[in-house]
Amino acid sequence: DHFKGKTMTIAIGYGFGGTYGKYARVFSKHLGKHIPGNPTIVVKSMPGAGGMKMVNYAYAVMPKAGHNLLVPPDTIVINQLMRPKKMRFDAREFRWLGSSNQTNSIMVVRLDTGVSNVKDMKKIKILGGTSGKASNGYISPKLTMGLLGLKGDVIAGYKGSSRSILAIEQGEVQMASFNWLTWKSKVPHWFKGKKPYAKAILQVGSAKDPELPDVPMLTDMVSGENKAIVNFIATSGALGRGMAVPPGVPKDIR
């Protein structure tokens, strides 16, 4: 009876065009069938600060009656540890319901830049695009540039992966780093034909994406303390695309 006739929400910290929106909509279509009372579930977009605006809201303000869920950004833990003064939440206090998959951050570059592998970026300056500085789309490529001595920068402020990809097509930037589902679901034609438009040149994660066996891992390009740093950032992929409820939701509801 707690859920009967109710409308539940799933909050995401990005625009609807990315994989957070895709997964949240899949969850919304099917989750209600498995909750007593069969509630209606809708998805709410709250973009900002690489997804952390939504997380801060969920932690402090989101109602705790069990009718509100969230798809936490995969960087929620590493951001809390790296920038504790700016992150106004404790990821351990969210009640985690589960994860649908794990993800790697895949760096993709336009081939007309002259870049076909990571080493080329030591000579050719590349600009990347992403949402906010707390997103994996910012952290992973900036880390790569710093550790490997690559030329370039990452411009934040685009509202999700779709806007970043559009910026690549319009020539504002030449690179972005998102999970492989983003690339293959939005622009699969980029990677096909005799003259492909773009190429995946690097991945950051705990293990290679099974669909990208020939794309090198950042962890294999570094050693010592730097390898430990990369492995730490790669843990974000373990969270992938999952769901949680805010702190304080009663156990008998969640």
Side-chain angles (χ1 to χ4, degrees):
D1 291 341
H2 183 77
F3 295 98
K4 188 175 182 180
K6 301 290 185 177
T7 296
M8 299 178 63
T9 63
I10 299 176
I12 61 173
Y14 300 92
F16 282 117
T19 54
Y20 283 95
K22 290 179 182 291
Y23 275 96
R25 282 171 167 163
V26 171
F27 297 155
S28 69
K29 290 180 180 179
H30 298 281
L31 188 62
K33 302 174 184 177
H34 302 279
I35 297 177
N38 302 118
T40 300
I41 304 179
V42 297
V43 180
K44 182 179 181 180
S45 172
M46 299 180 64
M52 295 303 130
K53 178 181 178 181
M54 182 275 294
V55 176
N56 286 331
Y57 166 82
Y59 185 79
V61 181
M62 183 176 281
K64 308 181 188 304
H67 300 125
N68 299 83
L69 306 93
L70 64 146
V71 179
D74 53 10
T75 56
I76 182 175
V77 174
I78 63 175
N79 269 299
Q80 179 184 332
L81 294 172
M82 290 194 301
R83 303 194 296 170
K85 293 183 179 180
K86 291 187 177 182
M87 301 296 118
R88 299 187 298 275
F89 59 82
D90 187 336
R92 295 169 295 183
E93 295 183 13
F94 286 97
R95 297 298 178 256
W96 297 83
L97 305 180
S99 180
S100 60
N101 71 336
Q102 287 72 52
T103 58
N104 286 358
S105 185
I106 312 298
M107 183 183 290
V108 169
V109 181
R110 278 177 50 159
L111 286 173
D112 61 3
T113 59
V115 173
S116 60
N117 56 59
V118 175
K119 291 182 179 180
D120 290 334
M121 289 181 62
K122 291 186 176 183
K123 299 179 181 180
I124 302 173
K125 183 178 180 180
I126 295 295
L127 291 179
T130 191
S131 54
K133 293 184 177 181
S135 70
N136 217 330
Y138 183 88
I139 295 172
S140 289
K142 286 290 285 186
L143 176 67
T144 301
M145 291 174 179
L147 293 181
L148 301 183
L150 308 182
K151 292 185 176 181
D153 203 351
V154 181
I155 299 172
Y158 293 99
K159 293 184 178 180
S161 58
S162 291
R163 294 293 181 90
S164 300
I165 290 174
L166 179 61
I168 294 175
E169 292 180 328
Q170 293 178 336
E172 296 175 16
V173 295
Q174 302 86 40
M175 176 272 292
S177 190
F178 303 118
N179 66 82
W180 185 236
L181 177 64
T182 296
W183 296 114
K184 73 176 185 179
S185 65
K186 293 180 179 295
V187 286
H189 55 283
W190 280 16
F191 311 97
K192 299 177 180 179
K194 295 181 179 180
K195 293 184 178 181
Y197 179 77
K199 181 181 179 181
I201 63 171
L202 187 75
Q203 50 185 321
V204 178
S206 300
K208 282 190 175 184
D209 188 298
E211 295 187 25
L212 302 171
D214 299 324
V215 178
M217 298 283 292
L218 178 59
T219 187
D220 294 331
M221 297 181 175
V222 295
S223 59
E225 183 183 57
N226 289 343
K227 185 180 287 287
I229 293 172
V230 174
N231 286 334
F232 165 65
I233 297 300
T235 59
S236 64
L239 291 181
R241 302 293 179 266
M243 280 199 303
V245 292
V249 175
K251 290 183 178 180
D252 60 334
I253 296 175
R254 65 175 188 263

